[in-house]
Amino acid sequence: MRILVTGGAGFIGSYLCERLLSQRYDVLCLDNFFTGSKDNIIHLMDNHRFELIRHDIIEPVLLEVDQIYNLACPASPIHYQYNPVKTTKTSIMGTINMLGLAKRVRARILQASTSEVYGDPKVNPQKEDYWGNVNCIGMRSCYDEGKRVAETLMMDYHRQNKVDIRIVRIFNTYGPRMALNDGRVVSNFIVQALKGEDITIYGDGRQTRSFCHVSDLVEGMIRMMNKDNFIGPVNLGNPDEYTILEFAKKIKGLTGTKSKIVFKSLPQDDPMQRRPDITLAKESLGWKPKVSVDKGLVETIEYFKKKILNLKT
Ligand code: NAD
Ligand code: UDP
C-alpha cells in the first residue's frame, strides 16, 4: 500500500510516517515546511520506501495512493494566527484538494480534526455528539472554523460522492520533536523551566487541558484509518485532566527548576476546560492511551535538554 501523509514533516506527521514505514508501507510525505522541519524526517530519508514532496495543499496535486492522512495545518495558536487567512485556506482549500484526490484515485482519507471544534465547551468531558461553542469571528476562528468546515467537507464528499472517509478529533498532544518555538504550553513550560526563565501562565491557570503522548495518538490514528464500517468522528486524547497551574507545578517538580511561575493575560477565547470522553474510541477501536503523563513528560524533558544544549554548541 502507498500512503500519503500531508503535514508529514510536522510533529505528529513525522511519527506517523515513521510508524507506517516500520509497518513496511510506502510513504509519501508532503509538506510546505511552514511549521515542519527536515530535522523531523532526516532519519527517514535513506529508507527507499520514503519519498518527500515539497508542496502546499492549497494547490491541487495528483498522486497514486491508497490512503491519505490529512494533517497539513499549523496547530499552535501562535503559528495558526500568524497568517490566519492562509490557515483557513489550508483547512478548506487543502481539504477540498485532498478529498478531490481521494475521490479520483479511490483512496481512503483520514482528516486530522481537533478538540477545537468544541470551542470553549460548556460540557466536560466532551463527547463526539456535542456540537460545540465556537466564536466564528475571534482570533482562534481561522483554526476552529477551518477545521469544522473540513469536517463538513469530509461528510459531504462521503454522502455525495461516496468517498471513504475517517475523522479523528485530536486533543492536546505532546512529545519529543515539538519545536522549541512551538508556543504551546508543554514546550513553553519545559523550555522555560530548563532555561531557568519564568514559567508563563496565561490567565489565572484554572483552565484545564488533558495531554496525550504522541505515540498513543499515532496508534489511535492508524487503528481508525484501518477500521472498516466506522467513519467517526472519534475523539483521540488522554482523559487525564490538569489545570494549567497544576501542570506548571508538575513541570517545576519534574525538572527541579528554580523558575518562578508568573501570570500573563489570557488570550481571547482560550477554552476554560478540555477533556476527551474516549468511550467511543475504546469501544470501536479498542484504543486507550498507554503512556502516563509523568512518563511522557520525563522523556520530553530529556529531549528538550538535548535540543537546548545542541543549540548552544
Ligand atoms: P505541526 O505544525 O508540527 O505540523 C503541521 C505540518 O503541516 C507542518 O509540517 C507544516 O509545515 C505542514 N503544513 C502546514 N500548512 C501546510 C500547507 N498548506 N501545505 C502543506 N503542508 C502544510 O503540528 P502538529 O502538532 O504535528 O499537528 C498535525 C495535525 O494535527 C494538524 O492538522 C493539527 O491541526 C492536528 N492537531 C494537532 C494537535 C496537537 O496537539 N498537536 C491537536 C489537535 C489537532
Ligand atoms: N498557556 C499558558 N502558557 C503558555 C502557553 C499556553 O498558560 O506559555 C495556556 C493557554 O492559554 C491554554 C493552555 O495553556 O489555556 C494550552 O495552550 P496551548 O497553546 O498549548 O493549546 P490550546 O490552547 O490550543 O489547547
Side-chain angles (χ1 to χ4, degrees):
M1 220 168 17
R2 194 178 301 139
I3 303 179
L4 173 63
V5 180
T6 78
F11 162 54
I12 297 172
S14 61
Y15 283 98
L16 182 59
C17 289
E18 196 176 293
R19 184 81 70 91
L20 293 170
L21 285 168
S22 76
Q23 295 175 348
R24 308 189 70 78
Y25 294 118
D26 286 350
V27 175
L28 305 189
C29 165
L30 181 153
D31 208 293
N32 71 350
F33 293 105
F34 173 46
T35 49
S37 158
K38 284 190 189 152
D39 288 345
N40 288 342
I41 46 168
I42 191 85
H43 60 297
L44 308 177
M45 297 287 197
D46 285 342
N47 191 321
H48 68 278
R49 280 188 243 100
F50 182 74
E51 283 176 65
L52 177 61
I53 305 162
R54 181 184 281 265
H55 181 80
D56 193 309
I57 60 160
I58 72 167
E59 304 295 340
V61 62
L62 182 56
L63 297 161
E64 292 296 329
V65 291
D66 304 289
Q67 291 185 342
I68 303 168
Y69 288 87
N70 189 31
L71 275 66
C73 184
S76 161
I78 54 165
H79 292 133
Y80 69 65
Q81 289 166 17
Y82 172 75
N83 184 346
V85 174
K86 177 65 192 270
T87 301
T88 306
K89 279 185 177 173
T90 296
S91 274
I92 298 181
M93 294 160 70
T95 305
I96 290 175
N97 286 329
M98 290 308 117
L99 281 160
L101 175 64
K103 181 181 161 194
R104 185 162 172 178
V105 302
R106 294 201 171 82
R108 181 175 287 182
I109 178 168
L110 177 145
Q111 171 65 11
S113 188
T114 168
S115 53
E116 291 277 320
V117 300
Y118 302 122
D120 186 6
K122 298 292 178 212
V123 298
N124 201 40
Q126 294 80 50
K127 268 174 98 94
E128 290 82 353
D129 59 6
Y130 177 55
W131 287 1
N133 175 38
V134 179
N135 174 6
C136 67
I137 55 170
M139 302 297 287
R140 297 174 86 97
S141 323
C142 60
Y143 185 73
D144 302 3
E145 295 289 15
K147 289 282 187 179
R148 284 169 70 95
V149 174
E151 286 199 16
T152 308
L153 286 162
M154 294 285 288
M155 291 305 296
D156 285 336
Y157 268 78
H158 175 64
R159 286 185 285 245
Q160 195 175 328
N161 303 110
K162 307 274 175 288
V163 174
D164 191 10
I165 63 155
R166 300 286 180 275
I167 301 172
V168 294
R169 292 185 178 151
I170 302 170
F171 283 64
N172 297 59
T173 300
Y174 72 95
R177 253 180 242 163
M178 291 184 92
L180 280 175
N181 66 349
D182 180 90
R184 281 175 282 186
V185 68
V186 177
S187 47
N188 272 11
F189 283 6
I190 294 178
V191 172
Q192 288 163 344
L194 292 177
K195 289 184 171 173
E197 295 169 357
D198 290 347
I199 296 180
T200 55
I201 290 187
Y202 303 156
D204 59 12
R206 280 187 303 135
Q207 71 271 37
T208 69
R209 293 294 185 275
S210 313
F211 300 98
C212 183
H213 190 266
V214 63
S215 61
D216 283 328
L217 177 79
V218 164
E219 174 67 27
M221 291 176 85
I222 292 176
R223 283 191 192 202
M224 181 60 177
M225 174 64 103
N226 295 297
K227 177 83 185 169
D228 286 329
N229 307 314
F230 178 52
I231 63 173
V234 65
N235 289 337
L236 293 180
N238 189 331
D240 208 358
E241 182 181 13
Y242 296 87
T243 69
I244 293 301
L245 179 58
E246 284 168 348
F247 192 67
K249 287 180 180 162
K250 180 178 269 301
I251 300 289
K252 270 195 76 153
L254 290 172
T255 54
T257 184
K258 294 202 167 64
S259 293
K260 286 201 308 290
I261 293 179
V262 298
F263 295 87
K264 303 245 172 180
S265 57
L266 186 69
Q268 188 196 23
D269 297 335
D270 201 285
M272 265 310 292
Q273 49 186 2
R274 185 181 292 151
R275 178 184 179 201
D277 182 320
I278 58 166
T279 311
L280 185 61
K282 279 185 185 157
E283 287 173 355
S284 315
L285 307 174
W287 176 88
K288 64 175 188 203
K290 289 192 184 136
V291 181
S292 70
V293 174
D294 277 40
K295 183 160 177 270
L297 284 176
V298 168
E299 180 203 22
T300 309
I301 290 166
E302 284 312 306
Y303 158 81
F304 276 114
K305 266 187 201 162
K306 286 193 194 123
K307 187 130 174 141
I308 289 168
L309 284 176
N310 282 345
L311 279 186
K312 284 187 182 151
T313 50

